Amino acid sequence: GPKIANVIEEFLSQNPDLEQAILGAIGSQDPPTQFINSFMDDLRSRIAGTLGSTSIEQDIAPANYGSCTSPVRDRLLHLWAQAAGDPADFVPDWFKLGAPAGINTEFPDMSQIWAPAEEEDTLGPDDLHEDPADHANDPVIDNDEDVRHLVEKYKEKGWVKVFKSHRELKRAVGKGYVISDIITIEKKKFDPVSKQWTAKKRTVLNLAASGITAASRLPWKTQLPRATDAAADTLDCIFDLLPDEDVEFLVIDAEDAFWTLPNVPKERKYFVTRVGHDLIVLLRTAQGSRGASLTWATFAGLAARCVQSLFTHAHMARTRTKEELRLQMYVDDPWAVMRGTTQRRSRLASMLITGWLVLGVPMAFKKAKMAQKLQWVGVVIQAMTPNQTVLLEVPEEKLEELRHIT
């Protein structure tokens, strides 16, 4: 970690325009992502060399193995994970072979990462025997222009493949494929400024109705951080402040999170849907599926540990914190607390974002925020440095939503 941190810091110092662009992109509705990304391969090459790469050009390339592709630099991630001795060093293989869903592909041993899940009864793949020819479409979905545009978008991005006949589909994924309906879920949100409710529509596969959920075996149980974990990290950082220092938070989502991981080709027959006459196969892990929650959490955890290691220089250790920056990862929503001078906190923020980008994880700059008071996992967190306290508040919109449903 510290060795790679030195490489990144030196690179940012040599390229002040890059650092300014990264900091300016936080919360921007028009972030200069193309300009920022134009620097990344040069930096990746330096990091790969530091990690002992013997084939730098290959090791910094995005995952591209024909049927499995991703923007993630899987070989670079593998070098980093191996150098760190991380127990999740098997994760980079998923970008080549596909991430399992637990239907006809087993999960690797994750006993050093997650706790065992409770035993449960599951369907076997042979029990999923609906005749696809008998599957009836939902006419509302078939005539929904938003759904059709979404399918076209996913097709252009390479996340799905569309077939025009059952014969073509069977040739691609094999027999015994299962079609799941697309359903739309409406989520209402209260706007405390306008005092109005807004509705956002999400489109997901109904994997429960088709039996795919029941056929997915998960031997491991993930664990998510809480707002109180963020509060504890903040209090530790506040305790260690020097007179000219303060703390600050940064949140920046991973963009298109679950679509980052390719799925196992032989399990794609279980992630099929239909819109009109088009038969659609998912080539990436399906958000809402049981397997995707486990594989994403395992990948995100590995990437987060790599990025966290950038902030562990021994000379920056204090009484309660050996890190200048502490990171928490809630699904695809990283949160960080940084301690230091104003200038140092800016450098830490740019290093954090650069760490994610180097690994090929797209970041949602538009939703990013950097402040001493911001919202994360449904709670407003405020650092009150003079009083050495942290205030956690449930925002007004969440309270109004609770009143609405009770």
Short mmCIF file of all heavy atoms in Angstrom, two decimals, residues 263-289:
data_model
loop_
_atom_site.label_atom_id
_atom_site.label_comp_id
_atom_site.label_asym_id
_atom_site.label_seq_id
_atom_site.Cartn_x
_atom_site.Cartn_y
_atom_site.Cartn_z
N ASN A 263 -20.81 -12.61 -15.59
CA ASN A 263 -21.30 -13.82 -14.94
C ASN A 263 -20.72 -15.07 -15.63
O ASN A 263 -20.16 -14.99 -16.72
CB ASN A 263 -22.84 -13.86 -14.92
CG ASN A 263 -23.45 -13.66 -16.29
OD1 ASN A 263 -22.76 -13.70 -17.30
ND2 ASN A 263 -24.75 -13.46 -16.33
N VAL A 264 -20.84 -16.21 -14.98
CA VAL A 264 -20.32 -17.46 -15.52
C VAL A 264 -21.11 -17.83 -16.78
O VAL A 264 -22.34 -17.91 -16.72
CB VAL A 264 -20.42 -18.59 -14.48
CG1 VAL A 264 -20.06 -19.93 -15.10
CG2 VAL A 264 -19.51 -18.31 -13.29
N PRO A 265 -20.47 -18.04 -17.91
CA PRO A 265 -21.21 -18.34 -19.14
C PRO A 265 -22.19 -19.49 -19.03
O PRO A 265 -23.29 -19.42 -19.58
CB PRO A 265 -20.08 -18.63 -20.14
CG PRO A 265 -18.95 -17.78 -19.68
CD PRO A 265 -19.03 -17.83 -18.18
N LYS A 266 -21.83 -20.55 -18.29
CA LYS A 266 -22.74 -21.70 -18.23
C LYS A 266 -23.94 -21.46 -17.32
O LYS A 266 -24.87 -22.27 -17.28
CB LYS A 266 -21.99 -22.96 -17.81
CG LYS A 266 -21.57 -23.03 -16.37
CD LYS A 266 -20.94 -24.41 -16.09
CE LYS A 266 -20.58 -24.59 -14.62
NZ LYS A 266 -20.02 -25.93 -14.36
N GLU A 267 -23.95 -20.32 -16.58
CA GLU A 267 -25.13 -19.97 -15.78
C GLU A 267 -25.97 -18.90 -16.44
O GLU A 267 -27.00 -18.49 -15.88
CB GLU A 267 -24.69 -19.50 -14.38
CG GLU A 267 -24.19 -20.63 -13.49
CD GLU A 267 -23.97 -20.22 -12.05
OE1 GLU A 267 -23.37 -19.15 -11.82
OE2 GLU A 267 -24.39 -20.96 -11.15
N ARG A 268 -25.59 -18.45 -17.61
CA ARG A 268 -26.35 -17.39 -18.28
C ARG A 268 -27.75 -17.85 -18.70
O ARG A 268 -28.66 -17.03 -18.85
CB ARG A 268 -25.57 -16.86 -19.49
CG ARG A 268 -24.39 -16.01 -19.05
CD ARG A 268 -23.51 -15.55 -20.18
NE ARG A 268 -22.38 -14.78 -19.62
CZ ARG A 268 -21.29 -14.47 -20.28
NH1 ARG A 268 -21.15 -14.86 -21.55
NH2 ARG A 268 -20.34 -13.77 -19.69
N LYS A 269 -27.92 -19.16 -18.85
CA LYS A 269 -29.24 -19.66 -19.25
C LYS A 269 -30.27 -19.44 -18.14
O LYS A 269 -31.48 -19.58 -18.38
CB LYS A 269 -29.17 -21.13 -19.63
CG LYS A 269 -28.76 -22.07 -18.51
CD LYS A 269 -28.67 -23.50 -19.05
CE LYS A 269 -28.24 -24.49 -17.99
NZ LYS A 269 -28.15 -25.86 -18.58
N TYR A 270 -29.81 -19.12 -16.94
CA TYR A 270 -30.73 -18.85 -15.83
C TYR A 270 -31.04 -17.35 -15.69
O TYR A 270 -31.79 -16.97 -14.80
CB TYR A 270 -30.14 -19.37 -14.53
CG TYR A 270 -29.82 -20.85 -14.58
CD1 TYR A 270 -28.51 -21.31 -14.43
CD2 TYR A 270 -30.83 -21.79 -14.79
CE1 TYR A 270 -28.22 -22.66 -14.49
CE2 TYR A 270 -30.54 -23.15 -14.86
CZ TYR A 270 -29.23 -23.57 -14.70
OH TYR A 270 -28.94 -24.92 -14.78
N PHE A 271 -30.46 -16.54 -16.56
CA PHE A 271 -30.68 -15.10 -16.50
C PHE A 271 -31.10 -14.60 -17.88
O PHE A 271 -30.39 -13.86 -18.55
CB PHE A 271 -29.42 -14.40 -15.99
CG PHE A 271 -29.06 -14.81 -14.58
CD1 PHE A 271 -28.13 -15.80 -14.35
CD2 PHE A 271 -29.71 -14.24 -13.50
CE1 PHE A 271 -27.82 -16.21 -13.06
CE2 PHE A 271 -29.42 -14.64 -12.20
CZ PHE A 271 -28.47 -15.63 -11.98
N VAL A 272 -32.28 -15.07 -18.27
CA VAL A 272 -32.87 -14.75 -19.56
C VAL A 272 -34.20 -14.05 -19.33
O VAL A 272 -34.94 -14.40 -18.40
CB VAL A 272 -33.09 -16.04 -20.40
CG1 VAL A 272 -33.71 -15.71 -21.75
CG2 VAL A 272 -31.79 -16.81 -20.57
N THR A 273 -34.49 -13.08 -20.14
CA THR A 273 -35.80 -12.43 -20.10
C THR A 273 -36.29 -12.19 -21.52
O THR A 273 -35.57 -12.49 -22.49
CB THR A 273 -35.74 -11.12 -19.29
OG1 THR A 273 -37.09 -10.65 -19.07
CG2 THR A 273 -34.94 -10.05 -20.01
N ARG A 274 -37.50 -11.68 -21.64
CA ARG A 274 -38.05 -11.45 -22.98
C ARG A 274 -38.84 -10.16 -22.98
O ARG A 274 -39.62 -9.87 -22.06
CB ARG A 274 -38.95 -12.62 -23.40
CG ARG A 274 -39.40 -12.53 -24.86
CD ARG A 274 -39.98 -13.83 -25.35
NE ARG A 274 -41.28 -14.12 -24.75
CZ ARG A 274 -42.01 -15.20 -25.07
NH1 ARG A 274 -41.56 -16.06 -25.97
NH2 ARG A 274 -43.18 -15.40 -24.48
N VAL A 275 -38.63 -9.37 -24.01
CA VAL A 275 -39.41 -8.16 -24.25
C VAL A 275 -39.89 -8.23 -25.70
O VAL A 275 -39.08 -8.23 -26.62
CB VAL A 275 -38.57 -6.88 -24.02
CG1 VAL A 275 -39.40 -5.65 -24.36
CG2 VAL A 275 -38.08 -6.80 -22.58
N GLY A 276 -41.20 -8.30 -25.87
CA GLY A 276 -41.73 -8.51 -27.21
C GLY A 276 -41.26 -9.86 -27.73
O GLY A 276 -41.41 -10.89 -27.07
N HIS A 277 -40.66 -9.86 -28.92
CA HIS A 277 -40.14 -11.10 -29.49
C HIS A 277 -38.64 -11.27 -29.21
O HIS A 277 -38.04 -12.27 -29.62
CB HIS A 277 -40.39 -11.13 -31.00
CG HIS A 277 -41.84 -11.14 -31.37
ND1 HIS A 277 -42.68 -12.19 -31.07
CD2 HIS A 277 -42.63 -10.20 -31.98
CE1 HIS A 277 -43.91 -11.93 -31.49
NE2 HIS A 277 -43.90 -10.72 -32.05
N ASP A 278 -38.05 -10.30 -28.54
CA ASP A 278 -36.61 -10.36 -28.26
C ASP A 278 -36.34 -11.19 -27.00
O ASP A 278 -36.94 -10.97 -25.95
CB ASP A 278 -36.05 -8.95 -28.04
CG ASP A 278 -36.00 -8.13 -29.33
OD1 ASP A 278 -36.03 -8.75 -30.41
OD2 ASP A 278 -35.93 -6.90 -29.23
N LEU A 279 -35.42 -12.13 -27.14
CA LEU A 279 -34.96 -12.93 -26.01
C LEU A 279 -33.61 -12.36 -25.55
O LEU A 279 -32.69 -12.25 -26.35
CB LEU A 279 -34.82 -14.39 -26.41
CG LEU A 279 -36.15 -15.08 -26.75
CD1 LEU A 279 -35.93 -16.27 -27.66
CD2 LEU A 279 -36.85 -15.50 -25.46
N ILE A 280 -33.51 -11.99 -24.30
CA ILE A 280 -32.37 -11.21 -23.80
C ILE A 280 -31.63 -12.01 -22.74
O ILE A 280 -32.23 -12.48 -21.76
CB ILE A 280 -32.87 -9.88 -23.21
CG1 ILE A 280 -33.65 -9.10 -24.29
CG2 ILE A 280 -31.72 -9.05 -22.68
CD1 ILE A 280 -34.72 -8.20 -23.73
N VAL A 281 -30.31 -12.15 -22.92
CA VAL A 281 -29.47 -12.88 -21.98
C VAL A 281 -28.54 -11.89 -21.29
O VAL A 281 -27.86 -11.09 -21.96
CB VAL A 281 -28.63 -13.96 -22.69
CG1 VAL A 281 -27.74 -14.69 -21.70
CG2 VAL A 281 -29.54 -14.95 -23.40
N LEU A 282 -28.48 -11.96 -19.97
CA LEU A 282 -27.56 -11.10 -19.22
C LEU A 282 -26.15 -11.67 -19.29
O LEU A 282 -25.95 -12.86 -19.07
CB LEU A 282 -27.99 -10.98 -17.75
CG LEU A 282 -28.98 -9.84 -17.43
CD1 LEU A 282 -30.32 -10.07 -18.12
CD2 LEU A 282 -29.17 -9.71 -15.92
N LEU A 283 -25.18 -10.80 -19.60
CA LEU A 283 -23.78 -11.18 -19.64
C LEU A 283 -23.02 -10.72 -18.40
O LEU A 283 -21.83 -11.01 -18.26
CB LEU A 283 -23.11 -10.58 -20.89
CG LEU A 283 -23.80 -10.86 -22.22
CD1 LEU A 283 -23.02 -10.20 -23.36
CD2 LEU A 283 -23.95 -12.35 -22.47
N ARG A 284 -23.69 -9.97 -17.55
CA ARG A 284 -23.10 -9.49 -16.29
C ARG A 284 -23.98 -9.96 -15.14
O ARG A 284 -25.12 -10.39 -15.34
CB ARG A 284 -22.98 -7.96 -16.30
CG ARG A 284 -22.19 -7.39 -17.49
CD ARG A 284 -20.70 -7.62 -17.35
NE ARG A 284 -19.93 -7.15 -18.49
CZ ARG A 284 -19.40 -5.94 -18.59
NH1 ARG A 284 -19.57 -5.06 -17.62
NH2 ARG A 284 -18.69 -5.62 -19.66
N THR A 285 -23.46 -9.86 -13.93
CA THR A 285 -24.24 -10.31 -12.77
C THR A 285 -25.51 -9.47 -12.63
O THR A 285 -25.50 -8.27 -12.87
CB THR A 285 -23.41 -10.23 -11.48
OG1 THR A 285 -22.95 -8.89 -11.28
CG2 THR A 285 -22.21 -11.16 -11.55
N ALA A 286 -26.58 -10.15 -12.23
CA ALA A 286 -27.89 -9.50 -12.21
C ALA A 286 -28.16 -8.86 -10.86
O ALA A 286 -28.22 -9.54 -9.84
CB ALA A 286 -28.98 -10.52 -12.52
N GLN A 287 -28.34 -7.53 -10.85
CA GLN A 287 -28.70 -6.84 -9.61
C GLN A 287 -30.02 -7.39 -9.11
O GLN A 287 -30.98 -7.53 -9.86
CB GLN A 287 -28.81 -5.34 -9.84
CG GLN A 287 -29.08 -4.56 -8.56
CD GLN A 287 -29.02 -3.06 -8.77
OE1 GLN A 287 -28.87 -2.60 -9.89
NE2 GLN A 287 -29.15 -2.31 -7.70
N GLY A 288 -30.06 -7.72 -7.83
CA GLY A 288 -31.26 -8.32 -7.26
C GLY A 288 -31.15 -9.82 -7.13
O GLY A 288 -31.93 -10.45 -6.41
N SER A 289 -30.18 -10.43 -7.83
CA SER A 289 -29.97 -11.87 -7.68
C SER A 289 -29.14 -12.12 -6.42
O SER A 289 -28.33 -11.29 -6.02
CB SER A 289 -29.28 -12.46 -8.90
OG SER A 289 -27.96 -11.96 -9.03
#
